[in-house]
Amino acid sequence: QLSQSVAQSFPRINMQCASCHDSFIDRWKLKAAYGLAAIYASKPLAIHRCDKATGEVAVATWLYPELGNVDPQATATERLRQLADLVTSPRNGRFSRTIVNRLWHRMMGRGLVNPVDAMQTEPWNADLLDYLAVYLVESGWDLKKTIAHIATSQAYSSQAQVVQKGADDHGYIYAGPRAKLLTAEQFIDAVWQITGAAPTKMDASVLRGKVE
């Protein structure tokens, strides 16, 4: 589960198939999925193929060893720290592209790479994806600054596209941000702004940290 969650959240790789057997749809192997999971394991992790033990033990390994790797002999805590460094390394362009693609999708209604869960898909504008990824890294991974950069662009302020059924059947062509429904949080914020009814204080205190 950790292998699937980490791969899906950060480099946007679907490891669900490879967690059971060598994937039939991409290059990821069973050993790669178990190697990623072994980074978190506190004891030796036996590899199972389709719920049957293979007799092998997983070796903690990052998915992209060309960017570096974890020390399989280190403690589980240290391996996780090394994993975090590898995921957020400026050399790991996959991570920064994944993040800005999510932001673009959320703000524009459609990702530069679509669907957002398949980052191996060709982006409709690779230069823009690269530019925003570099901007995010150079801003010190400042998500608010990156969101503001997109929100103040001519692209974001252009006329919204009302999507008709089958609009992308013959390939996607950018025609402005896509009109979409407000989320529940956006809706309540809008109502509060219009009515001036936003709460001025918390109804209950928020406890943070460990409570004795």
Side-chain angles (χ1 to χ4, degrees), residues 59-80:
V59 177
T61 309
W62 172 229
L63 296 172
Y64 297 100
E66 63 272 19
L67 298 179
N69 220 323
V70 299
D71 179 3
Q73 303 303 320
T75 64
T77 300
E78 176 59 20
R79 292 198 303 270
L80 284 176

Side-chain angles (χ1 to χ4, degrees), residues 8 12-14 94 101-102 113-120:
Q8 190 72 36
R12 276 302 191 191
I13 296 169
N14 188 338
R94 182 97 181 196
N101 189 55
R102 287 181 187 169
V113 176
N114 188 71
V116 292
D117 287 336
M119 284 300 290
Q120 72 276 8

Side-chain angles (χ1 to χ4, degrees), residues 55-134:
E56 299 177 278
V57 176
V59 177
T61 309
W62 172 229
L63 296 172
Y64 297 100
E66 63 272 19
L67 298 179
N69 220 323
V70 299
D71 179 3
Q73 303 303 320
T75 64
T77 300
E78 176 59 20
R79 292 198 303 270
L80 284 176
R81 188 196 66 77
Q82 293 173 5
L83 173 63
D85 290 341
L86 289 167
V87 168
T88 59
S89 169
R91 296 180 59 217
N92 183 8
R94 182 97 181 196
F95 177 57
S96 55
R97 286 169 177 80
T98 293
I99 296 299
V100 297
N101 189 55
R102 287 181 187 169
L103 296 180
W104 187 273
H105 173 265
R106 176 66 66 178
M107 300 174 70
M108 296 295 199
R110 191 183 192 278
L112 293 162
V113 176
N114 188 71
V116 292
D117 287 336
M119 284 300 290
Q120 72 276 8
T121 306
E122 188 73 20
W124 64 264
N125 191 320
D127 290 338
L128 179 55
L129 181 64
D130 290 348
Y131 166 76
L132 289 174
V134 171

Side-chain angles (χ1 to χ4, degrees), residues 4 13 40 77 93 109-110 122 139 144 162 167 181 187:
Q4 293 178 29
I13 296 169
Y40 180 76
T77 300
R110 191 183 192 278
E122 188 73 20
S139 71
K144 288 185 177 180
V162 178
L181 296 175
F187 179 78

